[in-house]
Amino acid sequence: MTDPLRISATYRLRVAAPDATHRAQQLALEQSIEMLATSVNDPHVLDTMVARVDNVATDGDGTHTARLALSAETIGDDAGQLMNMLFGNASLQPDVELIDVEVPAVLAGVWGGPNHGIGGMRRYTGALERPLTCTALKPIGSTIESLVHLCSVFSDAGIDVVKDDHGWANQRSAPFAERVRACQKAITRSNAARDRCTLYAPSLYGHFDEMRAQIELARREGVRLVLIAPMVCGVATLVALKREFQDMMFIAHPSLGGLRIAPEALFGKLFRLFGADAVIFPNHGGRFAYPREVCRAIARHNTQPWHDLKPTMPTPAGGMSVERAAGIVGEYGRDSMLLVGGALLSAREQLAARSTEFVNAVAMAAEAVTA
Amino acid sequence: MTDPLRISATYRLRVAAPDATHRAQQLALEQSIEMLATSVNDPHVLDTMVARVDNVATDGDGTHTARLALSAETIGDDAGQLMNMLFGNASLQPDVELIDVEVPAVLAGVWGGPNHGIGGMRRYTGALERPLTCTALKPIGSTIESLVHLCSVFSDAGIDVVKDDHGWANQRSAPFAERVRACQKAITRSNAARDRCTLYAPSLYGHFDEMRAQIELARREGVRLVLIAPMVCGVATLVALKREFQDMMFIAHPSLGGLRIAPEALFGKLFRLFGADAVIFPNHGGRFAYPREVCRAIARHNTQPWHDLKPTMPTPAGGMSVERAAGIVGEYGRDSMLLVGGALLSAREQLAARSTEFVNAVAMAAEAVTA
């Protein structure tokens, strides 16, 4: 059971065994009132605001796990303030990692999770049963003509989501407004000839007001899905955008997410909580070093029942290939989206054929999984 | 000389010696086009957008230093996009740290640095020669009456800056609007009796639009200085706010800044570049583990000439005490602001006396430094 007034946060402490309990108590003060409890006069502050150490345990590897109960009242409904309380100052102390978080139902309701989640990703694309396919528009610096060509090839091949690389902002070579208009137009044209729908996801940049204007522009062009990096723009910006644009879907990019916050907690839970419909994470065996179990835990946290939050589409990525598609489907199952980017583009003149191969590999692997 | 079209970024690589050059080349692709250069057709992309490896050197400790030249054209003038290009995906790869950054003059001009910087902190407070003193309103959860009392005591004692803890958002116990009105009023009353000016710095929360409304409210009450955590709200938000409110000053809080980005680069340079007038950083010997040389480098980067950017006020903090004040002044010199928070409050009934002691200790130490 979750205490309705407390957030449960679990930390790994890398300290000597005799210091573990004291370190946990220090952490509880650091992540709540930022001062000694003995200097506090107000009993309300002591009872309600100070984080409570619920448990300290020593693990097999000699590190310690400390479970703290943070006061929900310290958060004031702000997503950024949750990050402050979970790991703000602790991020500056190298002996501590945040490894898990659980929020009370009332805070889950405050942020509310994805607008649409996996169900929406399926409805909008028409891919009702199988894993989704996703690729990226690369490289930044390309001309709009080149991007339009890529959009047509990918969409004609039946890839479900074509997203901007997160490196796309408002570069002179392809300014946001022109890029979005041209890419969405190419994809709309390709969609018209078919019974399914490829979605184009432009990359948002800047602050809340700029992103809001970008979404308004993109929606007018028919865009229903956008890419956002919550650790770059701030998690409160994601929350505010998904609230304001309830018909839109948001793919969260992990950029700048390499804090000492466990990927299972950040990409598995927090991004879902704040409203990501799909979450990109570095898959094992690619360019990034997350172990397989971490990746599986991210996907599990994205999809399993959690308060009343819709499930979020897990999107393994990062150096993936068409050859690995069947294995990835076998691992994550139907409720996943496979993102293969650079590996498609390396086919050069065979881009269309390789894209079709990707789509077919996922569809075939999905049948094997459901069989 | 800085290449006018390139950003120089220096990384530490923790790889085996034979792999260092290859790893640097991989990093150059990851932090620019996110694909293999051999898959790129467009010569403009290859020449202009791909990051260039300028130098790879092996250091005494067996790690390697790689200096990359990132394309300024990939940034599109957006501060968040600079973070993406400097360390977005790299943050997810544990073998790499960002240790230094230099931007061309054109980008320094784009972001422009502090509105006022050290000079403004001095003019607004009237503390023209000596280091400034700063303390924090704690703990979160306090009543407004209690905060008003603290403001009066601190201000009467002559402390230059009284800031909210960064844990203050919009908690029910002291909602932002009421808190700011009451605290600024108490400080204005205290200022009226003197020839110098204590500044109150409320803590901003949420996204750009919310912060803008908070600043507008605070300005109407006479506030001229605010606290912001750029890694929580997004660096682009800081840039936009300091542009819109040119009479305001911004103290940057390091919350969530514990990425594998060297504090010298993040707190020393990037926060200054994006517009912080003062930068709080964890001082050595307190609750945080930065070595003395790192802290000195942060202060040096804040204050030394850099393009046309105003200097930023270095603000050592984190478990500091009145007893240490003279030593801190000796170390950082006159262009610094000393932040002592919890240690003042631990004086309890002697709060006013201890606050005066803090102010006097800094003033006396400053005379010793200039003598």
Side-chain angles (χ1 to χ4, degrees):
Chain A
M1 281 300 298
T2 321
D3 181 335
L5 302 175
R6 293 277 173 171
I7 296 148
S8 174
T10 309
Y11 299 88
R12 179 157 335 280
L13 306 177
R14 299 182 186 281
V15 295
D19 303 332
T21 300
H22 177 63
R23 184 67 186 87
Q25 285 158 349
Q26 279 185 318
L27 185 63
L29 294 175
E30 187 70 58
Q31 294 306 111
S32 57
I33 59 168
E34 297 185 71
M35 65 187 288
L36 293 175
T38 50
S39 309
V40 175
N41 299 315
D42 186 337
H44 170 75
V45 170
L46 288 173
D47 294 347
T48 309
M49 308 303 274
V50 175
R52 194 176 66 215
V53 178
D54 276 350
N55 191 57
V56 182
T58 303
D59 295 318
D61 61 357
T63 65
H64 310 277
T65 308
R67 203 175 69 244
L68 269 52
L70 310 178
S71 164
E73 204 175 318
T74 62
I75 307 302
D77 295 358
D78 177 49
Q81 178 60 5
L82 178 65
M83 299 306 291
N84 265 336
M85 288 293 112
L86 284 173
F87 204 63
N89 278 359
S91 88
L92 307 167
Q93 298 176 321
D95 60 350
V96 56
E97 288 167 59
L98 174 67
I99 57 176
D100 198 15
V101 58
E102 181 52 78
V103 296
V106 58
L107 277 183
V110 161
W111 293 305
N115 283 339
H116 303 279
I118 291 178
M121 296 290 291
R122 294 200 176 288
R123 276 193 306 280
Y124 278 62
T125 57
L128 300 183
E129 301 282 338
R130 57 170 174 77
L132 273 65
T133 50
C134 177
T135 192
L137 296 178
K138 297 169 188 273
I140 50 169
S142 301
T143 60
I144 288 186
E145 292 66 33
S146 159
L147 297 176
V148 162
H149 170 70
L150 291 179
C151 284
S152 297
V153 172
F154 290 146
S155 185
D156 286 349
I159 290 177
D160 299 301
V161 172
V162 179
K163 69 165 196 65
D164 281 353
D165 253 4
H166 78 291
W168 282 110
N170 200 29
Q171 287 92 351
R172 276 182 304 162
S173 60
F176 183 86
E178 289 177 50
R179 185 172 80 244
V180 170
R181 267 185 214 114
C183 289
Q184 183 59 46
K185 200 168 157 192
I187 283 179
T188 303
R189 194 185 310 117
S190 168
N191 284 340
R194 313 233 169 182
D195 59 350
R196 50 88 206 138
C197 186
T198 295
L199 298 177
Y200 167 55
S203 174
L204 305 181
Y205 67 91
H207 56 71
F208 172 73
D209 255 24
E210 293 174 315
M211 289 186 171
R212 175 201 259 163
Q214 290 155 30
I215 293 179
E216 281 171 352
L217 181 151
R219 274 166 99 228
R220 283 196 298 273
E221 303 297 327
V223 168
R224 287 295 169 268
L225 178 66
V226 290
L227 182 74
I228 187 167
M231 300 308 286
V232 176
C233 71
V235 294
T237 300
L238 168 58
V239 171
L241 290 171
K242 72 110 189 172
R243 271 188 196 143
E244 180 161 338
F245 298 100
Q246 302 205 358
D247 59 336
M248 295 296 291
M249 296 185 296
F250 295 83
I251 309 179
H253 191 281
S255 178
L256 220 60
L259 287 155
R260 291 186 322 285
I261 300 180
E264 300 93 311
L266 189 61
F267 307 140
K269 290 180 159 184
L270 289 168
F271 282 9
R272 176 181 178 189
L273 178 64
F274 296 143
D277 297 278
V279 170
I280 298 172
F281 62 90
N283 199 20
H284 61 89
R287 299 196 306 270
F288 301 85
Y290 293 159
R292 178 191 298 254
E293 316 81 69
V294 169
C295 298
R296 288 192 172 176
I298 294 171
R300 195 169 59 243
H301 286 321
N302 281 172
T303 55
Q304 71 193 3
W306 193 30
H307 299 293
D308 292 330
L309 306 179
K310 292 189 176 73
T312 287
M313 187 67 93
T315 307
M320 296 300 103
S321 63
V322 176
E323 290 70 24
R324 284 192 63 188
I328 297 172
V329 171
E331 190 158 17
Y332 296 101
R334 293 192 311 164
D335 278 346
S336 61
M337 177 156 76
L338 279 70
L339 169 48
V340 177
L344 292 187
L345 293 171
S346 68
R348 302 181 70 107
E349 289 73 26
Q350 280 74 50
L351 180 65
R354 185 65 61 86
S355 299
T356 304
E357 212 182 311
F358 174 36
V359 169
N360 291 341
V362 172
M364 283 176 58
E367 285 184 28
V369 166
T370 41
Chain B
M1 280 301 297
T2 321
D3 181 334
L5 302 174
R6 294 275 174 171
I7 296 148
S8 174
T10 309
Y11 300 88
R12 178 156 338 278
L13 306 176
R14 298 181 186 281
V15 295
D19 303 333
T21 300
H22 177 63
R23 184 67 187 88
Q25 286 160 348
Q26 279 185 317
L27 185 64
L29 295 175
E30 188 71 58
Q31 295 305 110
S32 57
I33 59 168
E34 296 184 73
M35 63 187 290
L36 293 174
T38 50
S39 307
V40 175
N41 299 314
D42 185 336
H44 170 75
V45 171
L46 288 173
D47 293 348
T48 309
M49 308 302 275
V50 176
R52 193 176 67 215
V53 178
D54 277 349
N55 191 57
V56 182
T58 302
D59 295 318
D61 61 356
T63 65
H64 310 277
T65 308
R67 202 175 69 243
L68 270 52
L70 310 178
S71 163
E73 204 175 319
T74 61
I75 308 300
D77 294 358
D78 178 48
Q81 177 61 4
L82 178 66
M83 298 306 291
N84 265 337
M85 288 294 112
L86 284 173
F87 204 61
N89 278 358
S91 88
L92 307 166
Q93 298 177 320
D95 60 350
V96 55
E97 286 167 61
L98 174 66
I99 57 176
D100 199 14
V101 57
E102 182 52 77
V103 297
V106 58
L107 277 183
V110 161
W111 294 304
N115 283 338
H116 304 278
I118 291 178
M121 296 291 291
R122 294 200 175 287
R123 274 193 307 281
Y124 278 60
T125 56
L128 300 182
E129 300 281 338
R130 55 167 175 78
L132 274 64
T133 50
C134 176
T135 191
L137 295 178
K138 299 171 188 266
I140 52 169
S142 301
T143 60
I144 288 186
E145 291 67 32
S146 159
L147 298 176
V148 163
H149 171 69
L150 290 180
C151 284
S152 297
V153 171
F154 290 146
S155 186
D156 287 349
I159 291 177
D160 300 300
V161 172
V162 178
K163 71 166 193 65
D164 281 353
D165 252 4
H166 78 293
W168 283 108
N170 200 29
Q171 288 91 350
R172 276 183 304 162
S173 60
F176 183 87
E178 289 176 50
R179 185 172 80 243
V180 170
R181 266 185 217 113
C183 290
Q184 183 58 47
K185 201 168 156 191
I187 284 178
T188 303
R189 195 183 311 119
S190 169
N191 284 340
R194 312 231 170 185
D195 60 349
R196 50 87 206 139
C197 187
T198 295
L199 298 176
Y200 166 54
S203 173
L204 305 180
Y205 66 91
H207 56 71
F208 172 72
D209 255 25
E210 293 174 314
M211 289 185 170
R212 175 202 258 163
Q214 290 155 32
I215 293 179
E216 282 169 352
L217 182 150
R219 273 165 100 226
R220 282 195 301 272
E221 303 296 327
V223 168
R224 286 296 169 267
L225 178 66
V226 290
L227 182 74
I228 187 168
M231 299 309 284
V232 176
C233 72
V235 293
T237 300
L238 168 58
V239 171
L241 289 172
K242 73 109 190 176
R243 271 187 197 144
E244 181 161 337
F245 298 100
Q246 301 205 358
D247 58 337
M248 295 296 292
M249 297 186 294
F250 295 82
I251 308 178
H253 191 280
S255 179
L256 220 62
L259 288 154
R260 292 187 319 286
I261 300 179
E264 300 94 311
L266 189 61
F267 307 140
K269 291 181 160 184
L270 290 168
F271 282 9
R272 176 182 178 188
L273 178 65
F274 297 142
D277 296 278
V279 170
I280 297 171
F281 62 91
N283 199 22
H284 61 88
R287 300 197 305 272
F288 301 86
Y290 292 160
R292 179 191 298 254
E293 316 81 70
V294 169
C295 298
R296 288 191 172 178
I298 293 171
R300 196 170 57 244
H301 287 320
N302 280 171
T303 54
Q304 72 193 0
W306 192 30
H307 299 294
D308 293 329
L309 307 180
K310 292 189 175 73
T312 288
M313 185 68 91
T315 307
M320 296 300 102
S321 63
V322 175
E323 290 70 24
R324 284 192 63 188
I328 297 172
V329 171
E331 190 159 15
Y332 297 101
R334 293 192 312 164
D335 278 345
S336 61
M337 177 157 74
L338 278 69
L339 170 49
V340 177
L344 291 188
L345 293 172
S346 68
R348 303 182 69 108
E349 289 73 27
Q350 279 75 50
L351 180 64
R354 185 67 59 87
S355 299
T356 304
E357 211 182 312
F358 174 36
V359 169
N360 291 341
V362 171
M364 281 175 58
E367 284 184 29
V369 167
T370 40

